[in-house]
Amino acid sequence: MYYLYVLRSEQDGKFYVGITDDTNRRLAEHNNGFSKATKPDRPWKLIYFEAYTSLSLARRREVRLKNHARGFQELKKRILDESGEG
C-alpha cells in the first residue's frame, strides 16, 4: 500500500503533503530533519492519510493537491473540521 499523507507543523501550523509506503517511518524522518523541505518547521504531526494500491495512484493524488490550491484548501477545511484543530 502507498499513502498520501498530510502533516501539520506543531511550531507554526504549516501543512505538508507527501506520499510514502510507511507513514510512521516517514513522520520520524520529517521530525528528525531528514527532509530539507520540512526541517525548519519541526515538529510535525500526522493529521490525515489516504491509502492507495499503487504508487502511481498516490502520486496522481499528491500532484493534484499540490497543483490545485482549491482542492487542497477544501481538504484542509474537512480535516480541520473533523479534528477540531481549526
Side-chain angles (χ1 to χ4, degrees):
M1 295 295 285
Y2 294 90
Y3 303 92
L4 171 116
Y5 63 92
V6 178
L7 303 179
R8 188 168 189 193
S9 169
E10 293 185 32
Q11 176 183 312
D12 58 17
K14 288 182 183 175
F15 290 87
Y16 179 82
V17 175
I19 55 174
T20 187
D21 61 352
D22 183 338
T23 55
N24 291 325
R25 174 187 48 81
R26 192 66 182 123
L27 177 61
E29 290 172 353
H30 284 291
N31 281 327
N32 288 319
F34 296 138
S35 173
K36 191 174 173 181
T38 59
K39 187 175 183 176
D41 304 304
R42 295 177 291 169
W44 293 91
K45 179 179 178 183
L46 177 67
I47 62 167
Y48 180 81
F49 68 90
E50 299 172 356
Y52 293 89
T53 55
S54 72
L55 179 59
S56 62
L57 291 173
R59 189 165 313 279
R60 189 178 311 155
R61 175 71 164 144
E62 177 191 31
V63 168
R64 264 188 264 143
L65 289 176
K66 287 183 174 181
N67 291 336
H68 302 306
R70 187 173 192 171
F72 186 60
Q73 291 301 323
E74 289 173 9
L75 178 60
K76 275 195 325 191
K77 182 179 179 344
R78 189 175 79 198
I79 292 168
L80 295 176
D81 286 349
E82 289 175 5
S83 70
E85 289 191 30

